[in-house]
Amino acid sequence: MALERMAGTLDEETRIELKNSLSELERLSLALEEFGDRRCLPLKTVMDVNLALDEIFTNIVSYGFPDSDDHLIKINLLIEGKELNITVEDDGMPFNPLEIPEPDLNVPLEERKTGGLGIYFVRKMVDELRYERRQGKNVLFLKKKII
Amino acid sequence: MKIKESKSGAVIMLDLNGRLDASNSGVLEKKLTDLLGAGEKYFILDFDRLDYISSAGLRVLLMAAKKANGAGGKVALSSLKEHVREVFDIAGFTAIFPICSTSEEAAGLF
């Protein structure tokens, strides 16, 4: 019975919708934890994906919307074989994180800057990262191997 | 995230509990800025109960380390969990903070 239910839900997409408020970070982590538990994903995979999505979401909320209106950031998670495919969609200003230069990590403390560190984490946490501007929306594709 | 503060001699110990991300890094930033403003410059941040850190958390730690070092002080970290440690490694932050396995060990640095 339980196995049947699992088999039936394997190719289903999981959607997480977040408002453009940093307080939603907690809901993001809880939703990912629940998703990971339900799909028996390794904790390391869930933690890496959490960090990547946290940094992307924080960027969108902090810099994406010049107005003070409510916006929704939509995250889709889909397990395909041994890969977790994720899309993040927002209707904020065009922003391609792949254009952000990598930070210089080999400088002394006094000269260290933290700009660009968040996007650098995203690159490090996932196996593939792709950006599209589509119908007035930023769409970011992330691929994470499940190991 | 909860922050518990204690003091031993000239050293301020901050015990961080929970998750440190952009939603609450401002709380830690204010705490550290206030302490630095009051003349404190020796800090141990104990991460024994810190489950998660993002770049927003690292930003605050870097700010505190720069200010403390500039005043002739120091910020040491202790008891990093594996995933937190990994974030420090990726950011190249392991090279710029003294990182100890326990808060007792960190206390020995001062």
Side-chain angles (χ1 to χ4, degrees), chain B residues 9-30:
Chain B
V11 184
I12 300 280
M13 162 100 89
L14 297 180
D15 167 19
L16 306 188
N17 185 343
R19 300 171 62 89
L20 177 54
D21 59 30
S23 73
N24 56 27
S25 59
V27 178
L28 180 63
E29 184 170 11
K30 184 173 187 320

Side-chain angles (χ1 to χ4, degrees), chain A residues 44 50 54-55 109 112 114, chain B residues 19 52 55 66 69 91:
Chain A
K44 168 94 171 84
N50 192 158
D54 169 328
E55 299 291 355
L109 167 70
R112 269 305 295 264
T114 45
Chain B
R19 300 171 62 89
Y52 176 89
S55 68
K66 279 182 177 176
N69 285 27

Side-chain angles (χ1 to χ4, degrees), chain A residues 17-140:
Chain A
E17 289 194 345
L18 305 169
K19 284 178 277 186
N20 57 321
S21 160
L22 291 176
S23 62
E24 292 278 83
L25 281 169
E26 189 181 0
R27 221 158 60 78
L28 172 63
S29 75
L30 291 174
L32 290 173
E33 203 176 302
E34 193 198 319
F35 174 75
D37 282 352
R38 201 152 30 87
R39 304 301 175 91
C40 290
L41 294 178
L43 183 61
K44 168 94 171 84
T45 306
V46 178
M47 297 283 275
D48 287 356
V49 166
N50 192 158
L51 182 60
L53 290 175
D54 169 328
E55 299 291 355
I56 293 166
F57 176 79
T58 298
N59 239 321
I60 295 169
V61 172
S62 305
Y63 308 111
F65 307 108
D67 57 42
S68 50
D69 298 345
D70 290 340
H71 297 269
L72 277 183
I73 291 101
K74 296 173 185 170
I75 299 171
N76 275 293
L77 304 147
L78 181 63
I79 297 177
E80 290 172 297
K82 294 299 279 177
E83 286 175 357
L84 177 55
N85 288 305
I86 306 166
T87 59
V88 183
E89 200 180 290
D90 71 84
D91 63 349
M93 291 189 300
F95 173 68
N96 179 358
L98 293 165
E99 287 171 358
I100 303 292
E102 289 202 0
D104 186 357
L105 307 180
N106 296 309
V107 295
L109 167 70
E110 292 71 27
E111 295 159 33
R112 269 305 295 264
K113 294 184 175 66
T114 45
L117 201 52
I119 298 302
Y120 180 66
F121 283 168
V122 178
R123 288 171 183 271
K124 289 288 186 184
M125 290 296 125
V126 300
D127 297 289
E128 265 182 62
L129 190 60
R130 206 154 43 81
Y131 170 82
E132 267 177 35
R133 182 75 184 176
R134 201 161 65 187
Q135 294 166 335
K137 289 183 174 167
N138 296 305
V139 188
L140 203 56

Side-chain angles (χ1 to χ4, degrees), chain B residues 39-74:
Chain B
E40 303 294 349
K41 56 182 179 180
Y42 303 109
F43 298 91
I44 296 173
L45 302 187
D46 189 30
F47 284 7
D48 188 40
R49 294 191 288 169
L50 189 74
D51 299 317
Y52 176 89
I53 192 165
S54 72
S55 68
L58 293 189
R59 189 168 294 126
V60 173
L61 297 181
L62 184 66
M63 174 281 295
K66 279 182 177 176
K67 286 189 180 165
N69 285 27
K74 196 188 304 193

